[in-house]
Amino acid sequence: MNLIQAIILAVIEGLTEFLPVSSTGHMILASSYMGIASDPFVKLFTIVIQLGAILSVVVLYFKRFFRSLDFYYKLLVAFIPAAVFGFLLSDKIDELLESPITVAISLVIGGFILLFVDKWFSEPTVHNEEEISYATALKIGFFQCLAMIPGTSRSAATIVGGMTQKLSRKAAAEFSFFLAVPTMFAATAKKLLDFYRAGNTVTHDEVQILLIANVIAFVVALLAIKTFIGFLNKNGFKLFGWYRIIAGIIIILLIYSGHDLQII
């Protein structure tokens, strides 16, 4: 992976991390098109690059993170299911990450769900984070576990999960953003630990690539979150549903036309 490729992937990460469209699916298409070979650093990059995007949530919602301890307790409760299932199913998840067809199918199924989710859950009663109970936070945490299936989209799973619990679209999206912070920090820490335990090291050039890419992902994610919330309030999820369906079909067509898509 060279710097230009890293910058392109950073832009994709920043744009898609918080949208219900699956950053994994987009990484597949982009990396395949650019011919990026899978190696330990590339796999590390795709996880660590999320830190930049995650920091955009902390900056945008800075006051929320210092409002009360109750806020952190809810995030902890919601985070627990992913931590437990991630530990128990890590080997199976790695197997799924090698299957492009799994990503494609998940994109399509999730797309159809997003086409109708606004009609299914059209009468929300919870409009902000303070109104979310611990039981609701835990249920949303279980929905987040669905994102362990590549192509599902962590954002889509948690937002839809929130809406099933009577959260408004805005409240569900914002709680999804907040929950991304502990989830992605934990995923990054585990990936770094596994990387070094395997005897791998990061070169000076690779450190520069990681730093530059994280800064780009941070800036792009700032813009993406602001745009997404505004668009979501006005238009709902239908456009994202169609987008996922089209992306999934493209991946399926590429697979069956003989393209060797690699999950990076």
Side-chain angles (χ1 to χ4, degrees):
M1 176 193 294
N2 58 42
L3 181 58
I4 299 300
Q5 292 171 331
I7 290 174
I8 293 173
L9 291 180
V11 171
I12 293 172
E13 166 61 26
L15 284 173
T16 62
E17 179 59 46
F18 299 105
L19 303 184
V21 296
S22 176
S23 57
T24 300
H26 289 75
M27 290 287 187
I28 293 170
L29 292 175
S31 61
S32 177
Y33 180 78
M34 293 187 291
I36 298 176
S38 180
D39 60 40
F41 173 73
V42 171
K43 292 181 178 180
L44 176 70
F45 176 90
T46 59
I47 300 298
V48 175
I49 190 62
Q50 298 174 26
L51 284 178
I54 295 307
L55 288 175
S56 67
V57 175
V58 179
V59 170
L60 281 175
Y61 295 95
F62 183 79
K63 291 182 179 179
R64 298 278 188 92
F65 284 88
F66 294 94
R67 182 175 294 174
S68 68
L69 288 176
D70 188 58
F71 173 80
Y72 291 98
Y73 295 152
K74 289 177 183 177
L75 292 185
L76 177 60
V77 168
F79 167 70
I80 288 173
V84 173
F85 283 100
F87 176 77
L88 295 176
L89 302 176
S90 59
D91 292 339
K92 187 62 179 179
I93 293 170
D94 288 340
E95 291 178 16
L96 289 174
L97 285 173
E98 300 299 329
S99 173
I101 194 66
T102 299
V103 174
I105 293 172
S106 297
L107 281 169
V108 173
I109 293 174
F112 278 111
I113 291 174
L114 290 183
L115 290 182
F116 302 102
V117 70
D118 290 312
K119 291 183 179 179
W120 291 341
F121 310 108
S122 59
E123 298 181 359
T125 58
V126 179
H127 298 279
N128 56 65
E129 174 270 324
E130 290 89 345
E131 299 173 7
I132 297 174
S133 68
Y134 286 101
T136 295
L138 181 62
K139 292 174 184 178
I140 294 173
F142 278 108
F143 271 92
Q144 180 173 236
C145 294
L146 295 174
M148 294 176 185
I149 303 172
T152 299
S153 169
R154 194 205 61 80
S155 292
T158 50
I159 291 172
V160 172
M163 292 179 70
T164 68
Q165 303 305 306
K166 300 294 186 178
L167 271 69
S168 66
R169 291 188 301 223
K170 184 174 183 292
E174 289 184 343
F175 192 75
S176 173
F177 300 159
F178 303 148
L179 184 53
V181 177
T183 302
M184 296 308 178
F185 268 103
T188 299
K190 183 180 184 303
K191 193 66 177 180
L192 283 169
L193 183 61
D194 292 343
F195 181 82
Y196 286 108
R197 278 181 174 176
N200 300 303
T201 57
V202 181
T203 67
H204 176 72
D205 289 341
E206 289 172 340
V207 170
Q208 286 187 321
I209 288 176
L210 285 173
L211 290 175
I212 293 171
N214 269 285
V215 170
I216 293 172
F218 169 78
V219 174
V220 175
L222 279 175
L223 300 174
I225 290 175
K226 288 184 175 181
T227 303
F228 175 52
I229 290 295
F231 181 90
L232 189 61
N233 282 332
K234 293 180 180 180
N235 303 284
F237 289 99
K238 186 168 288 188
L239 180 61
F240 297 106
W242 284 117
Y243 184 86
R244 285 179 62 107
I245 292 169
I246 293 171
I249 291 173
I250 289 175
I251 294 177
I252 291 172
L253 292 175
L254 287 173
I255 292 171
Y256 285 100
S257 63
H259 287 75
D260 182 20
L261 298 183
Q262 297 182 357
I263 303 290
I264 60 176

